[in-house]
Amino acid sequence: MPAPLTFDAPKIHSAIEQIATAIRTRHGSDPTVCLIGITNGGVELNRRLGRLLGSKIPLGELDPSFHRDDIRQNPIPKETQPSIIPFDVTGRTVILVDDVLFSGRTLNAALNELFDHGRPAAVELAVLVDRGGRKLPFSADYVGLTVSAGTDKKVVVTLDPSDPSRDEATITAATKKS
């Protein structure tokens, strides 16, 4: 079995800065822009982008669990997070934030949950890692790292809120479901 491919903390931090710079370049100080992290992987990335972009950008968290298209095959986790969006999304440019973009199913569920909260003027997507393998026609507007990881691989992102020096993204062999 080949060794896992790992992106270390400096590479992750550079990728996050790259995303923040691209958002800043596109939107400047537009007061309608907000960031909403998709639970669980996008929440810490969302916080970090918010810090880099400044305190005026509203932040929220969105849990798409109840909108998943595979809800019959995979039961809803016992611990779901409530969506916390302390502002009206109607008329705003919402940037959804997640750690990994793969098939697009989580994003599809997130869009359904988002529209339960209002009607944004536009929705964009920021992801730390785009691993390819889309099953739905989505692409990210902002990408930190692009990797090619087939269905036999797993991409795991760790963003440690208490010790960013431990941040990493690892590509390993996926475990087979029995």
Side-chain angles (χ1 to χ4, degrees):
M1 175 185 294
L5 173 62
T6 300
F7 297 96
D8 63 6
K11 183 73 173 171
I12 297 296
H13 301 162
S14 176
I16 294 170
E17 182 66 46
Q18 174 185 318
I19 294 168
T21 299
I23 292 170
R24 192 179 303 108
T25 299
R26 181 177 291 177
H27 293 291
S29 59
D30 182 347
T32 69
V33 172
C34 63
L35 300 174
I36 299 179
I38 299 172
T39 61
N40 289 323
V43 173
E44 179 60 22
L45 177 59
N46 193 51
R47 289 182 190 127
R48 293 191 191 185
L49 288 172
R51 282 194 297 269
L52 289 170
L53 293 168
S55 62
K56 292 185 180 181
I57 293 185
L59 303 179
E61 298 177 14
L62 184 128
D63 185 347
S65 296
F66 292 104
H67 290 281
R68 300 263 330 167
D69 66 353
D70 58 358
I71 202 163
R72 287 189 178 100
Q73 291 90 359
N74 299 312
I76 296 170
K78 289 180 182 176
E79 292 186 29
T80 59
Q81 305 289 328
S83 291
I84 302 169
I85 305 175
F87 48 86
D88 188 2
V89 299
T90 300
R92 288 186 170 275
T93 297
V94 173
I95 301 175
L96 289 175
V97 178
D98 207 1
D99 59 346
V100 178
L101 177 58
F102 182 26
S103 69
R105 286 189 162 90
T106 297
L107 179 57
N108 187 56
L111 286 168
N112 286 323
E113 173 70 15
L114 176 63
F115 278 87
D116 284 351
H117 293 269
R119 187 169 184 218
V123 180
E124 297 175 355
L125 177 62
V127 297
L128 183 58
V129 180
D130 183 344
R131 60 165 289 161
R134 223 71 75 238
K135 304 288 184 202
L136 297 171
F138 293 117
S139 63
D141 299 276
Y142 312 99
V143 177
L145 301 166
T146 303
V147 299
S148 180
T151 56
D152 62 332
K153 303 289 184 201
K154 183 174 184 170
V155 177
V156 178
V157 172
T158 303
L159 297 178
D160 189 322
S162 60
D163 185 2
S165 69
R166 294 175 39 183
D167 293 348
E168 68 178 13
T170 305
I171 302 168
T172 60
T175 55
K176 304 255 186 215
K177 293 181 180 180
S178 43

